[in-house]
Amino acid sequence: MPDAIFENPRLAGVYDAVEGERADLDVYASMVAELGARSVLDIGCGTGTFACMLARRGIAVTGLDPARASLDVARSKPGADAVWWIHGDVTVLPELDVDAAFMTANVAQVFLGDDEWATTLRAARSALRPGGHLVFETRDPSRRAWEEWTPDLSRVSVEVPGVGVIESWHDVTDVADDLVTFRSMTLFHRDGNLIESTSTLRFRSRSEVETSLTAAGLILDEVRDAPDRPGREWVFLSRRPAAG
């Protein structure tokens, strides 16, 4: 089941406002152009910001997400009518032949088990045309980003039209090896409703990611710095072999 922050309709409705500007998506959009991609699979598309951005630029986009509430928000955005929205995980993907697949933000880290991650990579490979690219980011565990996920450092307050002031913060509840669990709290000031969502992310090492790509039959071309967190995240550019 998706985390409440994505599946709860009230939380999904204010997700974009709480997240703020997504300048990192502009960089990923430029990568679509760099790769010459005309068709894209957005795995874990969430509220559809990236998918709709690409659709408005004439890219054929398939948006996949297991959280129905997030997809409901996505379908209301400009450009949404041009996107093929699919509710579910990679196991429900139909046969595709896209130029590129993307997992932006924390999507690649929500797959906690090795089997689940391997299934995702294999499904992405199958969805790509021969020579197509899979691009995703993941945080460098050595930077210990979770140490900044405290109520004081993560607190955000925004006013959402029609909703009122929203206050949001995070608090880490458990760190077990490479798994980090944290609680997201969202306070709706207008009615005093406080909604909690619990999430877990896996912080794989660079070598683990590289090994998993090879095992899934993908070729790693390059590892770049993440656009929004330089020195703190990696962006992996991989591709399906031109033959096979």
Side-chain angles (χ1 to χ4, degrees):
M1 290 289 295
D3 301 337
I5 199 169
F6 307 115
E7 188 63 279
N8 181 297
R10 198 171 190 192
L11 293 181
V14 299
Y15 180 83
D16 291 338
V18 172
E19 285 297 300
E21 293 295 325
R22 293 293 307 278
D24 59 310
L25 296 182
D26 292 327
V27 178
Y28 283 111
S30 70
M31 291 175 66
V32 172
E34 174 191 342
L35 297 172
R38 300 303 304 164
S39 56
V40 168
L41 169 62
D42 185 6
I43 300 172
C45 63
T47 57
T49 302
F50 185 52
C52 291
M53 175 192 296
L54 296 182
R56 293 193 299 270
R57 299 182 184 193
I59 305 298
V61 186
T62 300
L64 173 74
D65 202 277
R68 190 178 297 279
S70 292
L71 288 180
D72 288 343
V73 173
R75 290 188 176 101
S76 70
K77 294 183 174 180
D81 289 347
V83 178
W84 181 12
W85 303 105
I86 300 177
H87 176 236
D89 59 21
V90 294
T91 63
V92 304
L93 277 176
E95 185 174 342
L96 296 173
D97 192 40
V98 299
D99 296 326
F102 282 78
M103 289 185 279
T104 63
N106 292 327
V107 172
Q109 292 186 249
V110 304
F111 306 106
L112 306 183
D114 290 339
D115 290 344
E116 184 183 15
W117 176 234
T119 296
T120 301
L121 293 179
R122 288 195 300 267
R125 182 189 185 281
S126 295
L128 295 170
R129 63 164 176 78
H133 292 81
L134 170 63
V135 180
F136 61 89
E137 67 179 65
T138 186
R139 296 172 188 260
D140 179 353
S142 71
R143 299 304 300 265
R144 302 177 67 84
W146 59 87
E147 293 182 347
E148 299 176 6
W149 299 348
T150 65
D152 289 341
L153 296 177
S154 65
R155 192 175 300 270
V156 173
S157 181
V158 295
E159 184 162 3
V160 182
V163 177
V165 175
I166 304 296
E167 197 170 355
S168 176
W169 64 92
H170 305 302
D171 188 16
V172 173
T173 58
D174 186 56
V175 179
D177 296 324
D178 57 2
L179 297 178
V180 177
T181 300
F182 60 98
R183 179 173 50 220
S184 298
M185 307 297 294
T186 304
L187 174 63
F188 292 78
H189 280 244
R190 180 171 292 180
D191 59 11
N193 193 10
L194 179 65
I195 305 178
E196 177 180 331
S197 176
T198 299
S199 306
T200 300
L201 298 177
R202 181 168 175 181
F203 285 72
R204 292 179 174 85
S205 68
R206 177 167 170 170
S207 63
E208 285 179 300
V209 175
E210 292 176 354
T211 298
S212 67
L213 288 170
T214 300
L218 292 158
I219 298 171
L220 178 60
D221 287 327
E222 187 180 357
V223 181
R224 299 182 181 178
D225 230 0
D228 56 335
R229 299 183 183 93
R232 301 170 67 87
E233 294 187 6
W234 303 300
V235 177
F236 291 84
L237 283 78
S238 62
R239 60 183 163 86
R240 177 175 177 171

